Amino acid sequence: MQTAYADESGDTGYIAGASPLFVLTAFLPLEPEALITCVIGARRKLGKPETFEFHFRQGNNKILNVFFDAIASQPITLLVAAIHKGNAPNVLQRRGKVGLYIHSLGGLALRSPVTLNNVKLHIDGTGSQKSFVRALTIGVRRICQESGRREQGFKEIRILSSAHPLIQCADMLAGAASEQARASKSVWLNKLNLKELVWWEEEFTV
């Protein structure tokens, strides 16, 4: 079974003051254990304690450079959904966070070059969040089924703490992707060894 890891950048709200862009990033590492070793190595190079977690928004240039240089040799498949929320239809806005996640993950699943029905997806979070995970799993599978792509529904979706090195990778990748979506450039994404890249800009235009 393959594994994938996902995190977001931006918020899931639509009210005044909410972020105009929601970026959901999922990645599939070719060699998960090797990538974990790279993350641990980056932490040690920075002289950080074992409890230190990598988060893009909290990283300065030194931290970001050390992290992305450390993982640069590891091949990954990267899936990015950049959702421009200001144009989102009312029916999606009414569904809140779970609706935005289903829309984002479902869209990525349909565009993924990797068959996902044997992939376990881990999403950043705390606790089990059973109702959210169940709604997400059913919603993404429904999108795939209705599109005639049943094989693109994830085998399983679970919540995983940010203490895990690969969830920290997902956080850093989401931050780099968000930077790319907002500024049309990201020195951090250019450092990656991308086996495959799917970049989906959802602007809700007809």
Short mmCIF file of all heavy atoms in Angstrom, two decimals, residues 125-175:
data_model
loop_
_atom_site.label_atom_id
_atom_site.label_comp_id
_atom_site.label_asym_id
_atom_site.label_seq_id
_atom_site.Cartn_x
_atom_site.Cartn_y
_atom_site.Cartn_z
N GLY A 125 -3.77 16.96 11.47
CA GLY A 125 -4.83 17.25 12.43
C GLY A 125 -4.57 16.58 13.76
O GLY A 125 -3.55 15.90 13.95
N THR A 126 -5.49 16.77 14.68
CA THR A 126 -5.39 16.15 16.00
C THR A 126 -6.65 15.34 16.27
O THR A 126 -7.74 15.68 15.79
CB THR A 126 -5.21 17.20 17.10
OG1 THR A 126 -6.29 18.14 17.06
CG2 THR A 126 -3.89 17.96 16.92
N GLY A 127 -6.51 14.28 17.03
CA GLY A 127 -7.65 13.42 17.33
C GLY A 127 -8.06 12.60 16.12
O GLY A 127 -7.41 12.62 15.07
N SER A 128 -9.14 11.88 16.24
CA SER A 128 -9.57 11.01 15.14
C SER A 128 -10.47 11.73 14.13
O SER A 128 -10.48 11.40 12.95
CB SER A 128 -10.32 9.80 15.70
OG SER A 128 -11.51 10.21 16.37
N GLN A 129 -11.25 12.74 14.62
CA GLN A 129 -12.16 13.51 13.76
C GLN A 129 -12.98 12.58 12.86
O GLN A 129 -13.05 12.74 11.64
CB GLN A 129 -11.38 14.52 12.92
CG GLN A 129 -10.59 15.53 13.74
CD GLN A 129 -9.97 16.62 12.89
OE1 GLN A 129 -10.59 17.15 11.97
NE2 GLN A 129 -8.73 16.96 13.19
N LYS A 130 -13.63 11.61 13.49
CA LYS A 130 -14.30 10.54 12.76
C LYS A 130 -15.35 11.04 11.77
O LYS A 130 -15.43 10.57 10.64
CB LYS A 130 -14.93 9.56 13.75
CG LYS A 130 -13.92 8.73 14.53
CD LYS A 130 -14.61 7.73 15.45
CE LYS A 130 -13.60 6.89 16.20
NZ LYS A 130 -14.26 5.92 17.13
N SER A 131 -16.17 12.00 12.19
CA SER A 131 -17.23 12.47 11.30
C SER A 131 -16.66 13.20 10.09
O SER A 131 -17.15 13.04 8.96
CB SER A 131 -18.21 13.38 12.06
OG SER A 131 -17.54 14.51 12.60
N PHE A 132 -15.61 13.99 10.31
CA PHE A 132 -14.96 14.72 9.21
C PHE A 132 -14.31 13.74 8.24
O PHE A 132 -14.48 13.85 7.01
CB PHE A 132 -13.92 15.69 9.77
CG PHE A 132 -13.07 16.35 8.72
CD1 PHE A 132 -13.62 17.29 7.86
CD2 PHE A 132 -11.72 16.04 8.60
CE1 PHE A 132 -12.83 17.92 6.89
CE2 PHE A 132 -10.94 16.65 7.63
CZ PHE A 132 -11.50 17.59 6.78
N VAL A 133 -13.59 12.77 8.78
CA VAL A 133 -12.90 11.80 7.94
C VAL A 133 -13.90 10.96 7.15
O VAL A 133 -13.71 10.69 5.95
CB VAL A 133 -11.99 10.89 8.79
CG1 VAL A 133 -11.49 9.70 7.98
CG2 VAL A 133 -10.81 11.69 9.33
N ARG A 134 -14.99 10.56 7.80
CA ARG A 134 -16.01 9.76 7.12
C ARG A 134 -16.65 10.56 5.97
O ARG A 134 -16.80 10.06 4.85
CB ARG A 134 -17.08 9.32 8.11
CG ARG A 134 -18.25 8.57 7.46
CD ARG A 134 -19.23 8.07 8.52
NE ARG A 134 -20.47 7.58 7.91
CZ ARG A 134 -20.59 6.40 7.30
NH1 ARG A 134 -19.56 5.60 7.23
NH2 ARG A 134 -21.74 6.05 6.77
N ALA A 135 -17.00 11.82 6.26
CA ALA A 135 -17.62 12.66 5.23
C ALA A 135 -16.65 12.89 4.07
O ALA A 135 -17.05 12.87 2.89
CB ALA A 135 -18.05 14.00 5.83
N LEU A 136 -15.39 13.08 4.40
CA LEU A 136 -14.37 13.31 3.37
C LEU A 136 -14.18 12.07 2.50
O LEU A 136 -14.14 12.16 1.27
CB LEU A 136 -13.06 13.71 4.06
CG LEU A 136 -11.93 14.22 3.18
CD1 LEU A 136 -12.38 15.39 2.34
CD2 LEU A 136 -10.75 14.63 4.07
N THR A 137 -14.08 10.92 3.13
CA THR A 137 -13.89 9.67 2.40
C THR A 137 -15.05 9.40 1.45
O THR A 137 -14.86 9.10 0.27
CB THR A 137 -13.74 8.49 3.38
OG1 THR A 137 -12.63 8.74 4.26
CG2 THR A 137 -13.50 7.19 2.63
N ILE A 138 -16.27 9.53 1.97
CA ILE A 138 -17.47 9.28 1.16
C ILE A 138 -17.58 10.31 0.04
O ILE A 138 -17.90 9.97 -1.11
CB ILE A 138 -18.72 9.30 2.05
CG1 ILE A 138 -18.71 8.10 3.01
CG2 ILE A 138 -19.99 9.28 1.19
CD1 ILE A 138 -19.82 8.14 4.05
N GLY A 139 -17.31 11.58 0.37
CA GLY A 139 -17.45 12.64 -0.61
C GLY A 139 -16.48 12.51 -1.77
O GLY A 139 -16.87 12.68 -2.94
N VAL A 140 -15.23 12.20 -1.49
CA VAL A 140 -14.23 12.04 -2.55
C VAL A 140 -14.56 10.82 -3.41
O VAL A 140 -14.48 10.87 -4.65
CB VAL A 140 -12.81 11.93 -1.96
CG1 VAL A 140 -11.80 11.58 -3.05
CG2 VAL A 140 -12.42 13.24 -1.28
N ARG A 141 -14.96 9.74 -2.77
CA ARG A 141 -15.32 8.53 -3.53
C ARG A 141 -16.52 8.79 -4.43
O ARG A 141 -16.59 8.28 -5.55
CB ARG A 141 -15.59 7.37 -2.58
CG ARG A 141 -14.33 6.79 -1.95
CD ARG A 141 -14.66 5.69 -0.97
NE ARG A 141 -13.44 5.13 -0.38
CZ ARG A 141 -13.43 4.27 0.64
NH1 ARG A 141 -14.60 3.87 1.17
NH2 ARG A 141 -12.30 3.81 1.12
N ARG A 142 -17.47 9.60 -3.94
CA ARG A 142 -18.66 9.90 -4.74
C ARG A 142 -18.27 10.70 -5.99
O ARG A 142 -18.77 10.44 -7.10
CB ARG A 142 -19.67 10.69 -3.92
CG ARG A 142 -20.95 11.02 -4.71
CD ARG A 142 -21.94 11.80 -3.88
NE ARG A 142 -22.42 11.00 -2.75
CZ ARG A 142 -22.28 11.32 -1.49
NH1 ARG A 142 -21.64 12.44 -1.17
NH2 ARG A 142 -22.75 10.55 -0.53
N ILE A 143 -17.40 11.68 -5.82
CA ILE A 143 -16.93 12.46 -6.97
C ILE A 143 -16.27 11.56 -8.01
O ILE A 143 -16.53 11.67 -9.22
CB ILE A 143 -15.95 13.56 -6.51
CG1 ILE A 143 -16.70 14.67 -5.78
CG2 ILE A 143 -15.17 14.14 -7.70
CD1 ILE A 143 -15.80 15.72 -5.17
N CYS A 144 -15.43 10.65 -7.53
CA CYS A 144 -14.73 9.74 -8.44
C CYS A 144 -15.71 8.80 -9.14
O CYS A 144 -15.62 8.56 -10.35
CB CYS A 144 -13.68 8.95 -7.68
SG CYS A 144 -12.33 9.97 -7.03
N GLN A 145 -16.66 8.28 -8.38
CA GLN A 145 -17.64 7.36 -8.94
C GLN A 145 -18.51 8.05 -9.98
O GLN A 145 -18.78 7.50 -11.06
CB GLN A 145 -18.52 6.78 -7.83
CG GLN A 145 -19.53 5.74 -8.31
CD GLN A 145 -20.27 5.09 -7.15
OE1 GLN A 145 -19.93 5.29 -5.99
NE2 GLN A 145 -21.29 4.30 -7.45
N GLU A 146 -18.97 9.26 -9.68
CA GLU A 146 -19.82 9.99 -10.61
C GLU A 146 -19.08 10.38 -11.88
O GLU A 146 -19.71 10.62 -12.92
CB GLU A 146 -20.39 11.23 -9.92
CG GLU A 146 -21.41 10.89 -8.84
CD GLU A 146 -21.89 12.12 -8.08
OE1 GLU A 146 -21.30 13.20 -8.29
OE2 GLU A 146 -22.84 11.98 -7.28
N SER A 147 -17.76 10.44 -11.81
CA SER A 147 -16.94 10.77 -12.98
C SER A 147 -16.47 9.52 -13.72
O SER A 147 -15.69 9.61 -14.66
CB SER A 147 -15.73 11.61 -12.55
OG SER A 147 -16.13 12.82 -11.94
N GLY A 148 -16.94 8.35 -13.25
CA GLY A 148 -16.51 7.10 -13.88
C GLY A 148 -15.08 6.74 -13.56
O GLY A 148 -14.45 5.98 -14.31
N ARG A 149 -14.58 7.25 -12.44
CA ARG A 149 -13.18 7.00 -12.05
C ARG A 149 -13.14 6.41 -10.64
O ARG A 149 -12.44 6.88 -9.77
CB ARG A 149 -12.38 8.31 -12.09
CG ARG A 149 -12.37 9.03 -13.44
CD ARG A 149 -11.49 8.35 -14.45
NE ARG A 149 -10.16 8.15 -13.94
CZ ARG A 149 -9.23 9.13 -13.87
NH1 ARG A 149 -9.53 10.37 -14.24
NH2 ARG A 149 -8.02 8.86 -13.43
N ARG A 150 -13.89 5.37 -10.42
CA ARG A 150 -13.98 4.75 -9.10
C ARG A 150 -12.61 4.41 -8.52
O ARG A 150 -12.40 4.48 -7.30
CB ARG A 150 -14.83 3.48 -9.19
CG ARG A 150 -15.11 2.81 -7.85
CD ARG A 150 -15.79 1.46 -8.07
NE ARG A 150 -17.08 1.61 -8.72
CZ ARG A 150 -18.22 1.74 -8.07
NH1 ARG A 150 -18.23 1.73 -6.75
NH2 ARG A 150 -19.36 1.86 -8.73
N GLU A 151 -11.66 4.06 -9.37
CA GLU A 151 -10.33 3.64 -8.92
C GLU A 151 -9.53 4.78 -8.29
O GLU A 151 -8.48 4.56 -7.70
CB GLU A 151 -9.54 3.04 -10.08
CG GLU A 151 -8.97 4.03 -11.10
CD GLU A 151 -10.01 4.56 -12.09
OE1 GLU A 151 -11.18 4.13 -12.02
OE2 GLU A 151 -9.65 5.41 -12.92
N GLN A 152 -10.03 6.02 -8.40
CA GLN A 152 -9.30 7.18 -7.87
C GLN A 152 -9.72 7.56 -6.45
O GLN A 152 -9.18 8.50 -5.88
CB GLN A 152 -9.47 8.38 -8.80
CG GLN A 152 -8.73 8.23 -10.13
CD GLN A 152 -7.27 7.90 -9.95
OE1 GLN A 152 -6.86 6.74 -10.10
NE2 GLN A 152 -6.46 8.88 -9.60
N GLY A 153 -10.65 6.82 -5.88
CA GLY A 153 -11.01 7.06 -4.49
C GLY A 153 -9.96 6.48 -3.55
O GLY A 153 -9.51 5.35 -3.73
N PHE A 154 -9.54 7.25 -2.56
CA PHE A 154 -8.51 6.77 -1.62
C PHE A 154 -9.00 5.53 -0.89
O PHE A 154 -10.16 5.42 -0.53
CB PHE A 154 -8.16 7.86 -0.61
CG PHE A 154 -7.44 9.04 -1.19
CD1 PHE A 154 -8.13 10.19 -1.53
CD2 PHE A 154 -6.07 9.00 -1.40
CE1 PHE A 154 -7.48 11.29 -2.07
CE2 PHE A 154 -5.41 10.08 -1.94
CZ PHE A 154 -6.12 11.23 -2.28
N LYS A 155 -8.07 4.62 -0.64
CA LYS A 155 -8.40 3.40 0.10
C LYS A 155 -8.82 3.75 1.52
O LYS A 155 -9.76 3.17 2.08
CB LYS A 155 -7.20 2.45 0.13
CG LYS A 155 -7.46 1.14 0.88
CD LYS A 155 -6.24 0.24 0.84
CE LYS A 155 -6.50 -1.07 1.59
NZ LYS A 155 -7.57 -1.86 0.95
N GLU A 156 -8.13 4.74 2.09
CA GLU A 156 -8.40 5.11 3.49
C GLU A 156 -7.90 6.53 3.70
O GLU A 156 -6.92 6.96 3.10
CB GLU A 156 -7.67 4.14 4.42
CG GLU A 156 -7.96 4.32 5.89
CD GLU A 156 -7.24 3.29 6.75
OE1 GLU A 156 -6.64 2.35 6.18
OE2 GLU A 156 -7.29 3.44 7.99
N ILE A 157 -8.59 7.28 4.56
CA ILE A 157 -8.15 8.61 4.96
C ILE A 157 -8.07 8.65 6.48
O ILE A 157 -8.99 8.21 7.16
CB ILE A 157 -9.11 9.71 4.44
CG1 ILE A 157 -9.15 9.70 2.91
CG2 ILE A 157 -8.67 11.08 4.95
CD1 ILE A 157 -10.14 10.70 2.33
N ARG A 158 -6.97 9.16 6.98
CA ARG A 158 -6.77 9.24 8.43
C ARG A 158 -6.18 10.59 8.81
O ARG A 158 -5.56 11.27 8.00
CB ARG A 158 -5.82 8.13 8.90
CG ARG A 158 -6.43 6.74 8.91
CD ARG A 158 -5.52 5.77 9.62
NE ARG A 158 -6.10 4.44 9.72
CZ ARG A 158 -5.54 3.42 10.36
NH1 ARG A 158 -4.37 3.58 10.96
NH2 ARG A 158 -6.14 2.24 10.41
N ILE A 159 -6.36 10.95 10.07
CA ILE A 159 -5.76 12.15 10.64
C ILE A 159 -4.41 11.76 11.26
O ILE A 159 -4.30 10.72 11.89
CB ILE A 159 -6.67 12.78 11.72
CG1 ILE A 159 -8.02 13.17 11.12
CG2 ILE A 159 -5.99 13.99 12.36
CD1 ILE A 159 -7.95 14.22 10.04
N LEU A 160 -3.41 12.62 11.05
CA LEU A 160 -2.07 12.34 11.59
C LEU A 160 -1.50 13.63 12.17
O LEU A 160 -1.59 14.69 11.55
CB LEU A 160 -1.16 11.79 10.50
CG LEU A 160 0.23 11.30 10.92
CD1 LEU A 160 0.13 10.14 11.91
CD2 LEU A 160 1.03 10.87 9.68
N SER A 161 -0.91 13.53 13.35
CA SER A 161 -0.38 14.69 14.06
C SER A 161 0.79 15.33 13.32
O SER A 161 1.57 14.65 12.64
CB SER A 161 0.08 14.26 15.46
OG SER A 161 0.91 15.25 16.04
N SER A 162 0.94 16.64 13.52
CA SER A 162 2.06 17.37 12.92
C SER A 162 3.40 16.97 13.51
O SER A 162 4.45 17.40 13.02
CB SER A 162 1.86 18.88 13.08
OG SER A 162 1.85 19.24 14.44
N ALA A 163 3.40 16.16 14.56
CA ALA A 163 4.67 15.66 15.10
C ALA A 163 5.33 14.69 14.12
O ALA A 163 6.55 14.46 14.19
CB ALA A 163 4.43 14.95 16.43
N HIS A 164 4.55 14.13 13.19
CA HIS A 164 5.11 13.18 12.23
C HIS A 164 5.90 13.94 11.15
O HIS A 164 5.40 14.92 10.58
CB HIS A 164 3.99 12.38 11.57
CG HIS A 164 4.47 11.16 10.85
ND1 HIS A 164 5.13 11.22 9.64
CD2 HIS A 164 4.40 9.84 11.17
CE1 HIS A 164 5.44 9.99 9.24
NE2 HIS A 164 5.01 9.15 10.16
N PRO A 165 7.12 13.50 10.86
CA PRO A 165 7.97 14.20 9.88
C PRO A 165 7.32 14.38 8.51
O PRO A 165 7.55 15.39 7.84
CB PRO A 165 9.22 13.32 9.79
CG PRO A 165 9.29 12.63 11.11
CD PRO A 165 7.86 12.37 11.49
N LEU A 166 6.51 13.42 8.07
CA LEU A 166 5.93 13.53 6.74
C LEU A 166 4.73 14.47 6.70
O LEU A 166 4.41 15.04 5.65
CB LEU A 166 5.58 12.15 6.18
CG LEU A 166 6.80 11.24 5.98
CD1 LEU A 166 6.40 9.93 5.32
CD2 LEU A 166 7.88 11.94 5.15
N ILE A 167 4.07 14.68 7.82
CA ILE A 167 3.06 15.72 7.90
C ILE A 167 3.75 17.09 7.90
O ILE A 167 3.25 18.06 7.30
CB ILE A 167 2.16 15.55 9.14
CG1 ILE A 167 1.22 14.37 8.94
CG2 ILE A 167 1.37 16.82 9.42
CD1 ILE A 167 0.18 14.56 7.84
N GLN A 168 4.90 17.17 8.53
CA GLN A 168 5.68 18.40 8.46
C GLN A 168 6.11 18.69 7.03
O GLN A 168 6.11 19.85 6.58
CB GLN A 168 6.88 18.32 9.39
CG GLN A 168 6.51 18.28 10.86
CD GLN A 168 7.69 18.00 11.77
OE1 GLN A 168 8.79 18.51 11.55
NE2 GLN A 168 7.48 17.17 12.79
N CYS A 169 6.45 17.66 6.28
CA CYS A 169 6.74 17.82 4.85
C CYS A 169 5.53 18.38 4.12
O CYS A 169 5.65 19.29 3.29
CB CYS A 169 7.12 16.48 4.22
SG CYS A 169 8.83 15.98 4.46
N ALA A 170 4.35 17.84 4.43
CA ALA A 170 3.12 18.31 3.78
C ALA A 170 2.88 19.79 4.09
O ALA A 170 2.47 20.56 3.22
CB ALA A 170 1.93 17.47 4.24
N ASP A 171 3.14 20.19 5.33
CA ASP A 171 3.00 21.59 5.72
C ASP A 171 3.95 22.47 4.91
O ASP A 171 3.55 23.53 4.37
CB ASP A 171 3.31 21.73 7.21
CG ASP A 171 3.23 23.16 7.71
OD1 ASP A 171 4.10 23.98 7.31
OD2 ASP A 171 2.33 23.48 8.51
N MET A 172 5.20 22.05 4.80
CA MET A 172 6.20 22.85 4.08
C MET A 172 5.87 22.91 2.59
O MET A 172 6.03 23.97 1.95
CB MET A 172 7.58 22.25 4.31
CG MET A 172 8.05 22.27 5.75
SD MET A 172 8.39 23.94 6.37
CE MET A 172 10.14 24.09 5.93
N LEU A 173 5.41 21.84 2.03
CA LEU A 173 5.04 21.82 0.62
C LEU A 173 3.80 22.69 0.36
O LEU A 173 3.72 23.38 -0.66
CB LEU A 173 4.80 20.39 0.15
CG LEU A 173 6.04 19.49 0.12
CD1 LEU A 173 5.65 18.05 -0.15
CD2 LEU A 173 7.04 19.98 -0.93
N ALA A 174 2.84 22.65 1.28
CA ALA A 174 1.65 23.48 1.13
C ALA A 174 2.02 24.96 1.19
O ALA A 174 1.50 25.78 0.42
CB ALA A 174 0.64 23.15 2.23
N GLY A 175 2.93 25.31 2.08
CA GLY A 175 3.38 26.70 2.17
C GLY A 175 4.09 27.15 0.91
O GLY A 175 3.87 28.25 0.40
#
